[in-house]
Amino acid sequence: MLRHLLLCLLIVLPSAASASDLTHGEIEDELVGRQIAWWEAEGWRHGHLFLLPNGAAEMTVERPQAQHDVGRWSLRGDQVCTRWGEARSGLEKCYRIRRGEDGIFVTTGGNVFEIRELGV
């Protein structure tokens, strides 16, 4: 319960850069090429995200309805920008990523990221 409350507090903080926002280099080092489990702060949507080194991106939604989408990602300063084939009608969205506790990351877009190791 306390962890959920902390996550909610992190999400409502102003989106201005803070000491805990990931930098351009940290985003590349910690998120690119890794399997990212994501969920919305409210917890009703979740899935996986892959930011590939070549700028391609893949996203799955597992709940509430299974979906798969492909698109592109880029870095603009210390923000991640994504544009999906179907999600958000193909409109680009940029957001900052803040380092949370226990290996999680919180985006200014309202999602929580956690790195997951790929199964063999």
Side-chain angles (χ1 to χ4, degrees):
M1 178 70 176
L2 181 58
R3 182 177 174 174
H4 181 71
L5 178 60
L6 290 172
L7 288 174
C8 290
L9 288 174
L10 284 172
I11 290 168
V12 298
L13 290 174
S15 62
S18 72
S20 60
D21 285 351
L22 295 182
T23 65
H24 184 109
E26 289 172 327
I27 293 168
E28 288 179 330
D29 292 344
E30 297 187 45
L31 300 177
V32 175
R34 315 265 316 264
Q35 180 182 22
I36 302 168
W38 68 269
W39 60 93
E40 289 183 341
E42 295 84 26
W44 68 277
R45 284 179 49 139
H46 66 87
H48 289 90
L49 173 68
F50 297 95
L51 303 175
L52 302 167
N54 66 0
E58 290 185 40
M59 174 180 60
T60 62
V61 177
E62 295 170 1
R63 190 178 81 183
Q65 179 180 358
Q67 295 175 309
H68 180 264
D69 205 349
V70 294
R72 304 288 303 165
W73 73 274
S74 62
L75 290 173
R76 292 211 185 114
D78 296 337
Q79 292 189 56
V80 174
C81 299
T82 55
R83 181 183 307 264
W84 300 103
E86 296 180 23
R88 297 188 308 263
S89 300
L91 296 175
E92 183 177 68
K93 181 177 182 178
C94 298
Y95 48 89
R96 294 188 180 280
I97 301 174
R98 192 168 288 131
R99 187 182 314 280
E101 295 183 18
D102 299 326
I104 62 165
F105 302 91
V106 181
T107 75
T108 55
N111 292 320
V112 180
F113 290 173
E114 182 177 40
I115 302 301
R116 299 274 170 92
E117 295 301 322
L118 292 171
V120 178

